């Protein structure tokens, strides 16, 4: 669903945030050997609270993705998978199953625990997408798991008067409500496609942590240039009421992600993210003893 916006009052920004730091992702592999770029790494979790991880994958060689992510557990947070190209089949211990492809989003709230697999369903061609990890507040870490698939047509989108196409995966942008909202962390997750020289403004509460990731072309924020596969952490400045993103001489595609920090302790052991080491030990014991994903 595309909504035409001519004069987005709600999109006005008087003063853009500055770039605090530019981060280049780290090449790594995960699952059964899927090559990917870890953009948001563990040392940035505190700074980018409530976000715990962002992986970007873009592989043309099937050997780099075919092994996929066989059965593995999660507890204490949410995973949001956004597929740009290719097909990924998801199955979990609660009986959910879905096929994610071309612009589709899968939102999975692990809560007290799921075991799932994320496996490619194609044997050739490009596989491209992102996985974001969003923390849960302490009081919701052991909540009931939740899961939903959104195919591309179900992701709300709009076009600005400047010809910028925006897909609203979470939160709200220019009066368009996203596919998912969350009270505690108020996540904003936008995929912004700017034409060459295009400009996009997004209001942001100054206390929310925010970053963007350029996955096509190049862009700039407050005069700071960002190249392809670079992430910019945006400064939290009480005088700044949002961010203004500008594309360079080529069209650009940028993920803009922001949320309200939880300011709670983070204890992570692989796919378990809790508040204390004691809770991590409990997660390991529950997983070992088969208490994940039981109906
Ligand atoms: Mn997973």
């Amino acid at each position: 669903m595309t909504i035409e916006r001519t004069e987005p009052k709600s999109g006005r920004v008087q003063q853009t945030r500055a770039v605090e730091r530019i981060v280049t992702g780290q090449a790594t592999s995960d699952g059964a050997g899927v090559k990917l770029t870890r953009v948001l790494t563990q040392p940035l979790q505190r700074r980018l609270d409530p976000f715990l991880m962002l992986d970007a994958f873009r592989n043309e060689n099937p050997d780099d993705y075919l092994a996929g992510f066989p059965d593995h557990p999660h507890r204490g947070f949410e995973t949001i998978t956004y597929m740009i190209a290719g097909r990924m089949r998801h199955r979990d211990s609660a009986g959910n199953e879905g096929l994610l492809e071309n612009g589709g989003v899968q939102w999975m709230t692990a809560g007290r625990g799921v075991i799932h697999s994320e496996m490619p369903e194609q044997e050739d061609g490009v596989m491209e997408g992102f996985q974001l990890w969003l923390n849960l507040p302490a009081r919701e870490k052991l909540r009931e798991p939740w899961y939903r698939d959104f195919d591309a047509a179900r992701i709300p989108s709009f076009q600005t008067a400047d010809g910028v196409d925006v897909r609203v995966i979470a939160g709200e942008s220019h009066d368009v409500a996203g596919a998912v909202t969350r009270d505690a962390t108020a996540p904003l997750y936008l995929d912004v496609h700017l034409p060459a020289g295009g400009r996009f403004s997004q209001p942001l509460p100054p206390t929310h942590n925010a970053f963007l990731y350029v996955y096509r072309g190049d862009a700039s924020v407050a005069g700071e240039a960002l190249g392809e596969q670079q992430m910019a952490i945006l400064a939290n400045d009480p005088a700044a009421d949002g961010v203004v993103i500008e594309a360079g001489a080529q069209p650009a595609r940028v993920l803009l992600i922001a949320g309200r920090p939880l300011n709670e302790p983070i204890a992570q052991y692989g796919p378990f993210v809790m508040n204390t080491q004691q809770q991590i030990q409990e997660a390991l014991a529950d997983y070992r003893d088969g208490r994940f994903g039981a109906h």
Side-chain angles (χ1 to χ4, degrees), residues 69-70 72-74 79 81 90 106 108 116-118 131 133 271:
F69 303 87
H72 59 277
H74 292 288
T79 70
T81 310
H90 170 266
Q106 177 210 93
M108 196 273 293
H116 73 168
S117 62
E118 298 153 285
Q131 188 168 84
W133 287 13

Side-chain angles (χ1 to χ4, degrees), residues 1 35 41 81 84 100 127 136 156 172 176 200 254 292:
M1 37 184 158
K35 287 191 181 166
T41 54
T81 310
I84 304 290
L100 194 59
M127 177 85 129
L136 285 167
E172 188 183 313
V176 176
F200 176 72
V254 177
F292 268 44

Side-chain angles (χ1 to χ4, degrees), residues 203-223:
L204 297 169
T207 53
H208 288 201
N209 291 328
F211 64 99
L212 50 88
Y213 179 69
V214 179
Y215 70 98
R216 285 287 193 291
D218 49 77
S220 65
V221 172

Side-chain angles (χ1 to χ4, degrees), residues 92-174:
D92 75 21
S93 50
N96 299 303
E97 179 171 342
L99 183 66
L100 194 59
E101 56 190 332
N102 302 336
V105 172
Q106 177 210 93
W107 196 295
M108 196 273 293
T109 306
R112 67 171 186 237
V114 299
I115 299 169
H116 73 168
S117 62
E118 298 153 285
M119 300 299 290
E121 274 220 346
Q122 59 177 55
E123 294 181 357
D124 52 42
V126 177
M127 177 85 129
E128 180 175 19
F130 305 95
Q131 188 168 84
L132 177 70
W133 287 13
L134 169 64
N135 210 352
L136 285 167
R139 67 177 182 279
E140 291 182 36
K141 281 188 175 289
L142 296 181
R143 57 160 279 175
E144 198 74 17
W146 185 87
Y147 165 86
R148 192 146 301 164
D149 277 323
F150 300 89
D151 60 29
R154 290 184 185 279
I155 302 297
S157 63
F158 65 93
Q159 187 177 62
T160 70
D162 289 351
V164 178
D165 289 306
V166 183
R167 314 187 71 221
V168 191
I169 296 167
E172 188 183 313
S173 180
H174 295 231

Side-chain angles (χ1 to χ4, degrees), residues 19 21-25 37 39 58 130 212-221 223-233 245-255:
V19 173
R21 184 175 159 196
I22 295 176
V23 176
T24 302
T37 302
V39 180
R58 186 183 184 193
F130 305 95
L212 50 88
Y213 179 69
V214 179
Y215 70 98
R216 285 287 193 291
D218 49 77
S220 65
V221 172
E224 195 83 37
L226 301 162
E228 201 163 280
Q229 298 188 8
Q230 284 189 321
M231 168 206 226
I233 298 175
I245 305 168
E246 295 175 280
Q250 301 296 322
R253 295 186 179 193
V254 177
L255 302 181

Side-chain angles (χ1 to χ4, degrees), residues 40-60:
L40 196 174
T41 54
Q42 215 166 346
L44 295 174
Q45 287 176 341
R46 179 50 59 194
R47 175 64 189 88
L48 292 175
D49 179 12
F51 302 101
L52 299 164
M53 192 188 85
L54 176 67
D55 281 347
F57 51 94
R58 186 183 184 193
N59 296 317
E60 287 167 25

